[in-house]
Every structure is written in structure tokens, then in C-alpha cells.
Amino acid sequence: MAAGGMSRSERKAAERVRRLREEQQRERLRQVSLILRKAAAERSAEEGRLLAESEDLVTELQGRSRRREGLKRRQEEVCDDPEELRRKVRELASAVRNAKHLVVYTGAGISTAASIPDYRGPNGVWTLLQKGRSISAADLSEAEPTLTHMSIACLHEQKLVQHVVSQNCDGLHLRSGLPRTAMSELHGNMYIEVCTACTPNREYVRVFDVTERTALHRHQTGRTCHKCGAQLRDTIVHFGERGTLGQPLNWEAATQAANRADTILCLGSSLKVLKKYPHLWCMTKPPSRRPKLYIVNLQWTPKDDWAALKLHGKCDDVMRLLMDDLGLEIPRYSRDQPQHWLRCPGWRDSCGERESVRARLDVPLHLRQPGREGALKGCALSNSAHQNLGALGLGSWNTLGKLKQIVP
């Protein structure tokens, strides 16, 4: 006799009985499911009796069906009609004018106009993967700031927006001219790598994707710090990781901005990730003291019930109407104008004194020569020039960028 008082043959018999019951349950579940698909008038008397005898299964299957339909409706894109959208934008414009401290939260939806796919839209990365379809690589290095990016930069310049919290790692906010001090890139920037051995961390702003060799829990880029020789790492925060870098994540500024905010505008984010960051929503405050929430998204978000206003529209369409209502001209982005420079904190000279070093994020198209790393049209760079470029964090003029699946 084995432990438990059952012999081996008795255990086998009990296992056969258990499997038989499971098979019978599955068969009944299949039968009930087929019957429920029929209209009530088309069901036979025997099928009616089976449904009456299987009340628990009927309840379970009907619950599953409702959940599937609810999920399907949440994934659908809904557009407000033009008049309704204009009315909502006028209400949003009033909120922007009257806000004392407006913070903008942005997601992948603001970059779709730059041909960068989002995650949960009809053609989003996760949507296609769930359907078993493959996703193609995208060249992000040629992406330009969208109308929404440029509008946000203008609103900040006009002191209507105080801070931007972004889930995106595509670097388009920086290219739009938005100052780094006014932004928190919570999931990193694919064009920035850092040396964590230097104090403070030394940043390298590249014109190419630094994440081509990196992955989840593997962040070394294969390049080294020109100052101390330590391995450089990317700044990306993958799903399941906790971001620890001060920049470009800038969590401190994001938290301070959220605490001071009286108005939050969410653009192009499903908020399924941002909702998990309680510090961004002032959840410790009573509901009456929390900032007013305005959401622009074509799909359902988990914060819709909290919103003072939900605008169902594309981000560029809404921002175009908003800027027109505010009487502001949307600046145009041009790669040909060498105006996109960044101040990199943390640099020190040989004497230990802090120095201000500007690293260029973009290269004008008329200077590019595709296919030749480290070369510019009409000029040959010496070895010393290459070294200087490396010291500035520019590296080679490689323009290849690939879509990285960073966050859900």
C-alpha cells in the first residue's frame, strides 16, 4: 500500500475516472456552446432541456462572451464627428488657458503620423503579434517630429505647458526643440547611451540607434567611455524592468510636476502602463484635489471614467484645432536648420571643473552621405576630428534605426 492508503491500481483507476469526467465536461461544454449560438426559436426541445440542466455552464459561457465583446469594443477605434470634436477642443482650449500647471503625458499614438507604429492600435505591435502576424522593422532614424510634437514644444515655449512626461523612446520630443529640463522620458531614449562609472553619469547623444545590441537585462552597447574606458549602456527601460538612471528618465521632475499639476493632458497613450505609476496620478490626494484629466485617444483607456473630458480623435487633428483655437502658429520642423542641440549634464574637464558641452542630435540632410560612416559631403574628417566627435557623443554618422519593442 502506498502513502495515503491507496494502492497503485486504485490510484490508476481514480485517475481514469477523473479524466473521464473532464472529457465529459468538455463535451458538454462544447454542446452547450453550439446550442447558445442558435437563436432561441431554432433550438429543439432536447437542446432546451440540456441548457436547463447545465445552468452553471450557460452562465460561464455567457460571461465569457460578454468579456470578449467588451474587450473587442475597447480595441475599436472611435472618432467623434467633426462638430462634436470642435466643441470638445474648445472646452480643452479653455482648460489649457486657465491651467496654472499643465502637464502633458504622451504615448506611442503621437508618433504614428511619423510612420512609427503604436502598440495597441489596429496595426499596433502587440495587436499584430496577438493575431500571429509578423511585424516589419522600421527605420526610426528618418522619423521627424509630428504636428503634435511641434505643438507641444510651442505650448511649452508659450508657458502654457510646464512639463512633458513621455513613454516614447524615439527621441522626437528632443528633435522638436523641447528642452530636456522640461521632459521626462520614462522608458529611455534610443539615441542616448551613458557611462555609469563616471560621476555624475556621462551622457553620449548619438545620431544612430544605440540599442541594436541591447535587450532585456542586457544593456551594454559595445562602446566605451572616452574618459574612463568603462562600458557604455543604453537608457531603455524594458517591460518588467525598473528604471534607475537619473537621465533621461528624469523621474524626479515627473513626480514634482504631477504633484503641482492642476491639469493633465494625455495624448496618444493607452494609459495601461502609466496607470501603474501612482505618483503620476496624485492618488494620495482626495479626489477633489486631484488634477483635472483630459484624454485624447481613439480607443478606450482605463482612466476614461476619471477624465473631465475624453476626445476621440487623432492627436494631430486635435492639436491642429487646439492651436488654432489658442491663436498659436505651429512651428515647422526642418532638418536643414542646424538648431537641434542638447546640453549634456555631467561633463567635466581635465581640472575637474564642470563644463557645458553641446551634443548634436540631428544632422542636416544636405550634410549626410548615406553608406559612409564618419563622412560628410565635401569634406574628409581627420582621425583627430573623429576623436572629437566621439568625445561629443556623436560617434559615426550612421543613420540606421530599428523599431524596438520596449513597452507593452
Side-chain angles (χ1 to χ4, degrees), residues 273-392:
V273 174
L274 284 183
K275 73 171 184 178
K276 299 178 181 179
Y277 302 142
H279 294 302
L280 298 182
W281 305 104
C282 305
M283 298 306 292
T284 57
K285 296 181 180 180
S288 60
R289 295 184 55 197
R290 292 173 191 166
K292 290 184 178 180
L293 179 61
Y294 294 82
I295 299 175
V296 179
N297 204 303
L298 292 169
Q299 295 176 308
W300 171 91
T301 81
K303 290 288 185 179
D304 283 357
D305 292 339
W306 294 69
L309 182 67
K310 172 71 180 290
L311 296 87
H312 296 93
K314 294 182 178 180
C315 293
D316 279 6
D317 293 341
V318 170
M319 294 304 293
R320 184 181 290 107
L321 292 172
L322 176 64
M323 296 294 282
D324 182 63
D325 201 288
L326 294 173
L328 296 175
E329 183 178 353
I330 303 172
R332 300 187 67 176
Y333 173 78
S334 174
R335 283 179 180 263
D336 294 330
Q337 297 177 0
Q339 59 186 1
H340 303 287
W341 299 78
L342 304 175
R343 185 174 297 278
C344 298
W347 291 71
R348 296 181 184 275
D349 61 18
S350 58
C351 299
E353 296 296 329
R354 186 150 186 142
E355 59 179 343
S356 297
V357 179
R358 290 180 180 270
R360 189 159 182 183
L361 175 66
D362 209 346
V363 184
L365 288 176
H366 67 277
L367 292 180
R368 290 188 181 182
Q369 189 168 359
R372 289 185 62 194
E373 294 189 359
L376 301 180
K377 283 186 178 179
C379 66
L381 297 182
S382 63
N383 289 335
S384 61
H386 280 296
Q387 293 172 359
N388 291 335
L389 288 175
L392 285 175

Side-chain angles (χ1 to χ4, degrees), residues 143-187:
E144 296 183 351
T146 65
L147 181 147
T148 298
H149 289 98
M150 301 306 295
S151 298
I152 293 172
C154 178
L155 290 174
H156 176 266
E157 186 176 359
Q158 296 296 320
K159 302 188 184 308
L160 292 172
V161 167
Q162 278 64 51
H163 199 76
V164 176
V165 179
S166 181
Q167 296 173 256
N168 301 337
C169 60
D170 53 30
L172 294 184
H173 276 304
L174 292 179
R175 295 190 187 193
S176 72
L178 188 68
R180 295 192 64 183
T181 54
M183 180 173 51
S184 299
E185 295 177 291
L186 301 185
H187 297 146

Side-chain angles (χ1 to χ4, degrees), residues 224-266:
T224 57
C225 176
H226 82 286
K227 193 75 172 181
C228 70
Q231 287 284 327
L232 299 180
R233 58 154 293 169
D234 68 13
T235 61
I236 300 301
V237 181
H238 294 265
F239 184 59
E241 294 181 332
R242 182 181 295 273
T244 57
L245 293 173
Q247 292 289 345
L249 278 56
N250 204 10
W251 261 108
E252 182 179 357
T255 304
Q256 291 176 354
N259 288 334
R260 297 179 61 189
D262 62 344
T263 306
I264 294 176
L265 173 59
C266 297

